[in-house]
Amino acid sequence: MKPDTITKADLITGLVLLVFSLTLIEEAWRMPRLEQLGVHPSSVPGLVPGMLGVILLILGAVLTVRSVRRGGHHLGITRENTARTFRQPGNLRLIVTLVLCIGYAAFMIGNMPYWLATGIFTFLFIALFEWNPGADRRTRVRGLTLAAVIAVLVAGVVTWVFANLFLVTLP
Amino acid sequence: MILLENLLSFLTAIGDFLTPTALFHVAWSTGLGIIIGALPGLTATMGVALMTTLTYKLAPDLAVLILICMYVGAIYGGSRTAILLNIPGTPANAATTLDGNPLARQGLAGKAMGIATSGSVLGSIIGMFFLATLAPLLGNYALKFQSYEFFWLAIFGIVISGHLTALDDPLKGWIAGFLGLTVAMVGQEGIHAYQRFTYGTTELLGGFALIPAMVGAFGFAEVLTVMRNPAAEVINAARDSVIPKLGEVFRYWRTIIRSGIIGTGVGIIPGVGEDIGAWVSYAAARRKSKERHLFGKGSIEGLMAAECGNNAAVPGALIPVLTLAIPGSAPAAVLLAAMFIHGVRPGPMIMIENPHFVYQVVAMVFFATLAMLVFGLSMTRPLLKVLSVPRERLMPIVFVLCVIGSYAIAERPFDVGVMIAFGIGGYILREMKYPMAPLVLGIILGDILDKSLRRGLVLSDGDLTPFFTRPICAVLFLITLSSVLMSIPAFRRLVGRVVGAVLPGRASREGN
């Protein structure tokens, strides 16, 4: 991130921290004092979370004020800027990686055999990121074959090692 | 006499690992550690966290041996990438790029790798010496620590770690540290068994499991970082010899000893770790050097100091792990969690309950150092091949291991969710320049802070005085307070003015 982007991000983080810390203090305050159990008032469960809430409130306030002083409140969020951010090659790669990884971990695993999910994920990851539309047909076929070979190897070895060597009941 | 006893205990521990099985584990885990450290984006913390998930079925001593070899190997392995690609393989090798890469560009990549290897080995040996001598002493001293001291140790660790790992912006270091402490508040608390922030979820009763959280924050987050950044540039091939000349190495014996001591000292400070060990050693070597003008342009002394400093910090970081159950660095935090998983309970009682384990850890560092020396001088070409593996083929494999590793320890799909959440959170925080080490330290220290403050207050019947009047507490409190105050520009200016008024001569000299 560039310094001015970080300053803007600091404002948002600061505000999130303020809300988070106030919630933390409120939750800590509402925690039981356990008087009926004869518990010492200094050992109540909400003491440390409440203390951490106060510290985070101070830190969040300092971050917010500092960001505003540095001009972080000029967020400059426009449709054009947002579209440009999403078009940057690095951010596109990040989004594709996130979609593939979360899709694999949250949706594929558990809904199909582990080895199949792992094989499909590895193949898709390599094939998508190494796909070169400008290359000739032979190069593309070679790339896809290599991705398939790696996917079969990874799925086979990881499944075998965890199921047979570490005796894990695979998801 | 004590030194002789230490030596005998160390030799006995060496004997424990002189078996084919143990030596085999030393060889592959150090080699794999070097590879993980050398691959840009894969760090020592990630290596140790992933390896914890792969070794939890092994005997405790073998599992810890593998993790320490992985740790030592990874911190060293990062120097290869620093020299050949000008990218630190792990954050610990950032200072190595300053002189390592200029040497490679001068056609002396082999020499640079040889110097980095000897610096790492010698730093590790110095750190090992202090681990063997200081850990038992500190262990006995730590027996005097009560809840009051542990409370301040937790706060001191977060504040100092937050300050030193984010020197440009300590505020972010502290936010990371206190967020870590807050994360540790989730789950059943240890005094009255009240469930905090669990919202009826049984999976959260024990809090967030540390290993899946670390695998996420250091594994998944790194996958995201590597895939977002542009690919690394072409590697300079080493044409000269990697075997260093002894005369060239020992010419800098003062720098070696100084960097070893600094690295160990920095390693001992909670949550600070190898990267700061390397930077402080490098800065000290530059200040004292007769060849100051060469620093940054390919100085052998600078490269030696950086590598000596980061590897000495590894045994240094293990000292508080063993004696106080407080990690000296992020990989040491994972190692500490792994020790708990294996039923080893480090802490003040270790010199009474399990003193042999302390020397076993020294022996583990010794074997890792030996393997590092052998591989460092022989694995040049295979490492170059590994470095040329495209990230598009490596990262899906890393992620597959992150998922199955997080799941395997408790066989709970919930932990995969924890890994993903910490991965995305860790990535966002890292992009906004929040250091990860204080966050990890916070997650580890949260329980200690919580129990120590409440127990201390119960013991003193709600009186805060002992937290400030007991000698160790007073020292820790004053250091913590001065660290916070000195990061406030207005206070720093005030101190400058006061010093200027009291010592006018010094102020004017500094002004010049």
Side-chain angles (χ1 to χ4, degrees):
Chain A
M1 264 190 203
K2 292 175 193 161
D4 61 328
T5 319
I6 290 182
T7 310
K8 290 172 191 170
D10 283 351
L11 178 73
I12 297 166
T13 318
L15 293 174
V16 170
L17 266 180
L18 289 179
V19 174
F20 175 71
S21 53
L22 285 171
T23 316
L24 193 64
I25 294 168
E26 198 256 335
E27 290 237 1
W29 185 258
R30 284 199 293 113
M31 279 180 195
R33 314 285 160 90
L34 308 171
E35 291 106 335
Q36 72 281 11
L37 298 175
V39 157
H40 194 283
S42 304
S43 74
V44 293
L47 180 74
V48 177
M51 182 187 89
L52 292 174
V54 172
I55 294 172
L56 282 174
L57 183 72
I58 296 167
L59 295 174
V62 175
L63 188 70
T64 309
V65 170
R66 194 182 74 175
S67 171
V68 171
R69 276 186 174 179
R70 292 177 183 176
H73 55 293
H74 300 297
L75 290 175
I77 300 173
T78 61
R79 188 177 288 181
E80 201 180 304
N81 282 348
T82 315
R84 199 184 309 138
T85 307
F86 278 101
R87 276 200 302 270
Q88 281 170 7
N91 290 341
L92 272 176
R93 279 199 303 272
L94 177 71
I95 293 166
V96 174
T97 309
L98 269 171
V99 169
L100 283 172
C101 291
I102 295 175
Y104 166 63
F107 300 106
M108 287 164 74
I109 288 185
N111 289 318
M112 60 176 81
Y114 173 78
W115 60 268
L116 185 63
T118 303
I120 293 174
F121 165 73
T122 314
F123 174 77
L124 277 179
F125 199 106
I126 300 172
L128 269 176
F129 280 109
E130 292 198 340
W131 183 253
N132 182 1
D136 58 78
R137 192 171 172 274
R138 211 174 135 192
T139 315
R140 278 185 285 174
V141 170
R142 205 168 45 207
L144 289 178
T145 313
L146 187 70
V149 170
I150 298 174
V152 169
L153 279 175
V154 171
V157 171
V158 174
T159 305
W160 184 82
V161 167
F162 277 87
N164 299 307
L165 227 62
F166 301 148
L167 305 174
V168 171
T169 314
L170 291 171
Chain B
M1 194 63 194
I2 292 171
L3 268 179
L4 193 69
E5 274 175 31
N6 287 357
L7 185 66
L8 278 176
S9 308
F10 170 62
L11 291 175
T12 316
I14 291 271
D16 293 348
F17 297 110
L18 279 177
T19 64
T21 314
L23 294 176
F24 168 71
H25 286 312
V26 168
W28 74 259
S29 54
T30 312
L32 188 62
I34 294 174
I35 291 171
I36 286 183
L39 288 166
L42 307 190
T43 61
T45 316
M46 196 209 79
V48 179
L50 267 184
M51 199 43 70
T52 303
T53 67
L54 298 175
T55 53
Y56 70 101
K57 296 252 165 142
L58 283 177
D61 54 344
L62 285 183
V64 177
L65 171 72
I66 289 170
L67 298 180
I68 286 180
C69 289
M70 166 69 64
Y71 183 8
V72 173
I75 295 296
Y76 162 70
S79 68
R80 287 291 153 108
T81 335
I83 292 167
L84 297 171
L85 273 80
N86 202 22
I87 299 169
T90 73
N93 311 97
T96 311
T97 57
L98 296 184
D99 287 301
N101 190 253
L103 278 169
R105 276 192 266 115
Q106 291 162 26
L108 297 171
K111 184 177 182 177
M113 288 191 272
I115 293 294
T117 308
S118 29
S120 298
V121 168
L122 293 167
S124 198
I125 290 171
I126 294 171
M128 211 170 70
F129 170 77
F130 285 111
L131 174 62
T133 49
L134 282 186
L137 289 177
L138 192 63
N140 288 328
Y141 189 68
L143 287 171
K144 292 180 189 164
F145 282 33
Q146 290 185 11
S147 299
Y148 313 106
E149 283 79 13
F150 273 109
F151 166 77
W152 276 117
L153 210 52
I155 296 286
F156 165 85
I158 292 300
V159 170
I160 298 297
S161 166
H163 200 154
L164 294 182
T165 55
L167 279 172
D168 298 337
D169 197 355
L171 179 64
K172 291 194 171 173
W174 295 333
I175 290 175
F178 283 101
L179 277 179
L181 288 173
T182 310
V183 166
M185 293 300 113
V186 176
Q188 205 168 49
E189 47 93 20
I191 295 185
H192 306 301
Y194 175 73
Q195 294 172 25
R196 290 190 294 215
F197 311 112
T198 55
Y199 306 107
T201 320
T202 46
E203 282 104 337
L204 279 177
L205 274 182
F208 289 108
L210 189 79
I211 297 296
M214 292 302 99
V215 169
F218 290 91
F220 183 33
E222 275 159 22
V223 170
L224 296 175
T225 309
V226 169
M227 290 312 293
R228 185 175 182 270
N229 291 341
E233 283 180 29
V234 185
I235 304 159
N236 294 302
R239 290 179 198 91
D240 57 331
S241 170
V242 291
I243 311 286
K245 291 181 184 125
L246 283 182
E248 207 162 44
V249 173
F250 289 106
R251 206 179 122 200
Y252 298 111
W253 63 272
R254 277 199 187 90
T255 305
I256 294 169
I257 293 174
R258 188 192 318 112
S259 306
I261 293 172
I262 291 174
T264 312
V266 171
I268 294 173
I269 303 171
V272 179
E274 302 80 22
D275 44 347
I276 307 295
W279 281 118
V280 178
S281 302
Y282 184 83
R286 187 181 175 158
R287 224 176 9 251
K288 297 273 178 190
S289 176
K290 289 174 191 156
E291 305 165 357
R292 205 174 305 170
H293 60 286
L294 288 176
F295 275 65
K297 295 173 190 152
S299 160
I300 301 282
E301 193 177 3
L303 176 59
M304 180 79 81
E307 276 304 303
C308 212
N310 63 23
N311 266 86
V314 175
L318 295 176
I319 295 174
V321 164
L322 291 172
T323 54
L324 297 163
I326 288 176
S329 66
V334 185
L335 191 66
L336 176 65
M339 286 182 186
F340 280 119
I341 289 175
H342 284 285
V344 179
R345 303 199 70 80
M349 294 299 284
I350 197 150
M351 287 313 291
I352 293 169
E353 288 175 356
N354 198 1
H356 187 56
F357 182 70
V358 174
Y359 296 100
Q360 278 190 321
V361 170
V362 184
M364 291 171 193
V365 178
F366 172 76
F367 281 111
T369 307
L370 270 187
M372 173 170 82
L373 176 67
V374 173
F375 289 136
L377 298 180
S378 62
M379 250 175 57
T380 313
R381 284 193 187 282
L383 259 180
L384 281 174
K385 276 219 169 341
V386 170
L387 282 179
S388 59
V389 174
R391 58 183 175 167
E392 290 79 9
R393 294 178 200 166
L394 196 67
M395 290 304 133
I397 303 174
V398 172
F399 186 70
V400 164
L401 291 176
C402 287
V403 171
I404 192 66
S406 314
Y407 170 83
I409 290 185
E411 297 192 8
R412 289 194 313 178
F414 179 79
D415 288 333
V416 178
V418 170
M419 183 275 289
I420 297 276
F422 274 83
I424 295 174
Y427 172 78
I428 294 170
L429 286 176
R430 209 181 299 186
E431 281 291 299
M432 293 192 297
K433 306 285 177 226
Y434 288 85
M436 285 292 105
L439 184 91
V440 179
L441 189 68
I443 299 176
I444 294 261
L445 293 182
D447 187 49
I448 296 177
L449 175 83
D450 183 40
K451 282 185 189 156
S452 305
L453 177 64
R454 294 193 287 153
R455 274 191 194 142
L457 283 171
V458 171
L459 285 173
S460 65
D461 200 20
D463 182 13
L464 282 170
T465 320
F467 285 94
F468 298 95
T469 51
R470 291 169 65 92
I472 300 169
C473 289
V475 171
L476 291 174
F477 164 67
L478 287 174
I479 299 174
T480 309
L481 184 70
S482 56
S483 168
V484 174
L485 291 176
M486 288 307 280
S487 68
I488 302 170
F491 185 82
R492 244 190 348 255
R493 280 195 296 273
L494 179 74
V495 171
R497 275 204 295 275
V498 171
V499 171
V502 177
L503 302 163
R506 192 182 157 192
S508 66
R509 266 203 311 279
E510 282 177 359
N512 297 330

